Amino acid sequence: MQEVTRRKFIATASLATGFALAVQPISAEAITTDAKGLVAGAVKIPVKDGEIPAYRAAPATGENFPIVLVIQEIFGVHEHIKDITRRFAHLGYLAIAPELFVRQGDVSKLSSIDEIRPIVAKVPDAQVLSDLDATVNWAKKSAKGNGNKLGITGFCWGGRITWLYAAHNPHVKAGVAWYGRLVGDATELQPKYPIDIASALTVPILGLYGGKDTGIPVDTVEQMRDRLKSSSSKSEIIVYPDAPHAFFADYRPSYREKEAKEGWKHLLAWFKEHGV
């Protein structure tokens, strides 16, 4: 793709409307958080090669808000991810979910995960980390965000990125990774996995995992837990024995209300403990 075309594409790209097609039908348990008292909606984040869209939510009044980066699942920044940002905003945070697949394609319009995976596989980690740096800069300069109180949380694909971004940016105060893959084969675009950076990690990360996650074997979670012991980060991992993958995703059949609510409480306590 020529650079001019790419810049134009990025500048004109927009966020998904509603839920991703690949996760239809939507569960009746899906949580809807209103935007009353908030500033919430789409924004554009300046990046190295143009702009990327993002969804941000923050209190309508005040300033110097603690910043939370909300990192998408494989399905992109659809309604569930937007709702999570609004949940944070009602608690006094500036929460931002940048669309990190936008250069590679609009995954929200695809109807199966088998169509989505090849697109996501083309997303370089270096691009993602750079876009998140740009998002943090935008939050500090343009959205009343406090860069000294920076947190990150991500789900599934975003759970892996949460670990990696914490290793990339030591200014992150704390992170919470929800069932992000920990071990994998290195590629040119994805050269490292969380287990590769665990020993050198300095940022405290809380990992939330399901004991019945068929895609993330418990033995890999234990490997990660063991590797973290040699780091200075004081990171922790909680495994919910009966929870499957995506147990926080209230719009999907995988949702487990008890574990989701417990995990959310742990997240808020973790952020508070570590100054976010």
Side-chain angles (χ1 to χ4, degrees):
M1 186 180 289
Q2 294 181 352
E3 186 65 22
V4 172
T5 305
R6 191 175 184 218
R7 283 175 180 269
K8 183 178 179 182
F9 170 73
I10 294 170
T12 57
S14 60
L15 294 173
T17 301
F19 291 92
L21 287 181
V23 294
Q24 307 292 332
I26 302 305
S27 168
E29 294 185 278
I31 295 170
T32 301
T33 304
D34 66 40
K36 186 177 181 180
L38 306 179
V39 174
V43 296
K44 292 188 182 297
I45 307 293
V47 293
K48 289 181 179 179
D49 53 357
E51 294 176 321
I52 61 171
Y55 187 89
R56 70 86 171 81
T61 58
E63 57 185 358
N64 216 32
F65 305 118
I67 302 166
V68 178
L69 299 173
V70 179
I71 314 302
Q72 66 206 59
E73 308 160 296
I74 199 172
F75 306 110
V77 181
H78 64 140
E79 186 51 44
H80 175 62
I81 299 299
K82 296 175 186 178
D83 198 275
I84 292 169
T85 68
R86 295 194 294 270
R87 297 175 206 178
F88 277 116
H90 280 296
L91 296 171
Y93 291 97
L94 162 63
I96 314 171
E99 179 55 85
L100 299 168
F101 303 159
V102 69
R103 297 171 184 78
Q104 284 71 35
D106 183 359
V107 295
S108 72
K109 301 294 191 297
L110 301 178
S111 58
S112 82
I113 196 165
D114 290 334
E115 294 177 290
I116 293 173
R117 284 196 179 104
I119 290 178
V120 176
K122 296 175 184 177
V123 181
D125 287 345
Q127 170 191 295
V128 172
L129 300 179
S130 176
D131 285 352
L132 291 175
D133 285 342
T135 302
V136 173
N137 288 337
W138 179 88
K140 292 190 293 186
K141 295 177 181 178
S142 305
K144 302 178 181 179
N146 182 348
N148 294 319
K149 293 187 175 184
L150 173 63
I152 181 171
T153 191
F155 305 84
C156 186
W157 181 88
R160 172 179 172 271
I161 295 300
T162 296
W163 291 103
L164 296 181
Y165 190 70
H168 166 79
N169 183 357
H171 298 295
V172 174
K173 290 291 187 184
V176 178
W178 299 77
Y179 34 82
R181 193 175 177 195
L182 299 167
V183 177
D185 296 325
T187 67
E188 183 179 354
L189 297 182
Q190 292 94 29
K192 292 184 179 180
Y193 278 78
I195 201 161
D196 301 316
I197 55 87
S199 296
L201 193 64
T202 60
V203 175
I205 302 294
L206 175 64
L208 301 174
Y209 287 81
K212 293 185 177 178
D213 189 329
T214 58
I216 303 175
V218 174
D219 69 307
T220 65
V221 179
E222 292 305 324
Q223 289 175 40
M224 183 70 176
R225 184 180 270 152
D226 188 61
R227 193 73 64 90
L228 286 167
K229 292 176 183 176
S230 60
S231 80
S232 63
S233 67
K234 297 182 179 180
S235 296
E236 297 179 12
I237 292 179
I238 296 173
V239 176
Y240 296 100
D242 298 323
H245 188 73
F247 61 85
F248 190 78
D250 51 70
Y251 65 103
R252 294 165 66 186
S254 58
Y255 179 58
R256 297 294 183 273
E257 183 180 16
K258 179 177 178 290
E259 288 87 347
K261 287 183 174 180
E262 284 186 16
W264 184 251
K265 288 179 181 178
H266 282 301
L267 175 150
L268 296 178
W270 189 259
F271 278 177
K272 185 176 181 180
E273 177 184 351
H274 296 288
V276 179

